[in-house]
Amino acid sequence: MIRFLLLCWVMLLPAALPAAVETFEFSSDELRERYQVLVEKLRCPKCQNQNLAGSDSPISADLRREVFLLLEEGQSDQQIIDFLVARYGTFILYDPPKEGTTRWVWLIPGVFLLLGIGLVVMVLRSASRRPVPEAVEGDDYE
Amino acid sequence: MKKQILLFVPLLMFAALSVFFFEALKLRETRSNSELTSALIDRPFPEFALPGLDNRMHTRDDLVGEVRLVNVWGSWCPSCRDEHPFLEELTRRGVSIVGLNYKDTPDAAIQWLQVFGDIYDFHIQDQSGRLGLDLGVYGAPETFLIDRMGVIRYKRVGVVNEAIWEEQIKPRYLAFGGLLNTPEAP
């Protein structure tokens, strides 16, 4: 059984490998680390559900290169993110700012939770207030 | 009596959700799922200095002064071939279209134009895709409507056809003072 599970795990491994293969010559390890973080959290505009690190599409390759160049230029992470948002919109962020429509996506579940709690409380209250004889009255055996 | 009214709460919630989902469905019909709204609407067309296919240099100044379409295309792009006849029709109606040859080689582009016809006012060669990046381009074809001041007013991702032109582009084109040849309809 364990061997079977191990086999499954090994077979799934290639899928987990990042698809991006270019090697950039970073001037420092710090830049390389920041690059890795950025391409992990930026989304490929073409493929919808992959990050830049995991996408093989030409546009992702271009954007990775741009991130590399901007890092080497000495731009901060925020500057690079702003640069890309100005061109591709907040879509390229996997964690978009909670404003506009996005804010509602976060608020609505909370609203529904409160409504649900309110409903449960109301039902419980009215059930406990109901006089007991009423229930007995219902079961009338002939 | 009050309790009976409460019984309708789930129904009302269900109705509200139905309306919400129905609206979302309609949204999907009008706007394809893969289409992102451009972050560049109402922003100036980015600065550039790039050669045309004749190797003459072009800058942003060449674009301003007229309401135009900038069509992002490449000889490698099958959909560009599909939309080409309609773009040709638009030029016949008097629309100025500039070709942004995106991530292509000049040889392949020139050959393509010889086969399908060169309908463009002039060409901008963006071999590296750098101008495309400034425009938020992520595929081809994409078509931008720019006004006389060189401000981007609309962006279409995907093929431009008669329906898209009539519904989306033409009203804006006319509103920003774009000109059409006399009687478009028979």
Side-chain angles (χ1 to χ4, degrees), chain A residues 114-129, chain B residues 6:
Chain A
L114 287 180
L115 275 177
I117 292 174
L119 203 70
V120 167
V121 167
M122 261 156 64
V123 167
L124 286 179
R125 259 203 206 155
S126 68
S128 67
R129 228 186 292 143
Chain B
L6 270 181

Side-chain angles (χ1 to χ4, degrees), chain B:
Chain B
M1 191 57 216
K2 232 172 99 189
K3 224 167 61 190
Q4 264 129 328
I5 293 172
L6 270 181
L7 287 176
F8 285 95
V9 169
L11 182 69
L12 285 177
M13 282 167 87
F14 174 76
L17 267 182
S18 305
V19 169
F20 180 76
F21 287 140
F22 195 71
E23 287 298 311
L25 257 182
K26 272 205 298 203
L27 203 72
R28 251 191 91 144
E29 273 164 22
T30 50
R31 216 183 64 165
S32 96
N33 205 24
S34 63
E35 190 180 326
L36 320 181
T37 43
S38 177
L40 283 132
I41 303 295
D42 296 334
R43 302 256 211 95
F45 198 91
E47 295 285 345
F48 65 92
L50 288 168
L53 289 172
D54 53 2
N55 282 323
R56 266 219 328 258
M57 285 304 275
H58 289 289
T59 62
R60 187 176 178 279
D61 295 342
D62 297 333
L63 284 177
V64 299
E66 208 175 320
V67 184
R68 311 174 187 271
L69 298 183
V70 176
N71 177 238
V72 181
W73 70 282
S75 64
W76 46 267
C77 148
S79 318
C80 299
R81 206 170 298 176
D82 295 341
E83 78 170 347
H84 200 69
F86 184 70
L87 294 183
E88 191 173 3
E89 170 62 25
L90 283 184
T91 57
R92 241 178 271 133
R93 294 182 197 171
V95 179
S96 158
I97 307 178
V98 172
L100 176 58
N101 187 230
Y102 177 64
K103 303 198 84 165
D104 205 353
T105 59
D107 287 347
I110 288 166
Q111 210 181 355
W112 194 93
L113 290 170
Q114 275 164 0
V115 175
F116 298 103
D118 185 357
I119 53 145
Y120 298 104
D121 272 11
F122 63 87
H123 298 270
I124 305 165
Q125 229 190 93
D126 185 20
Q127 253 177 291
S128 69
R130 191 57 189 68
L131 176 59
L133 204 152
D134 276 339
L135 281 167
V137 168
Y138 57 93
E142 289 190 18
T143 302
F144 293 84
L145 171 70
I146 60 169
D147 70 10
R148 287 208 177 89
M149 311 299 288
V151 175
I152 297 169
R153 294 305 186 175
Y154 174 79
K155 175 193 183 180
R156 163 74 183 162
V157 178
V159 170
V160 171
N161 52 31
E162 183 78 58
I164 294 293
W165 165 253
E166 284 295 330
E167 283 165 31
Q168 303 284 329
I169 311 180
K170 191 176 157 193
R172 294 178 172 93
Y173 178 83
L174 294 175
F176 288 107
L179 301 174
L180 290 174
N181 293 338
T182 36
E184 195 186 285

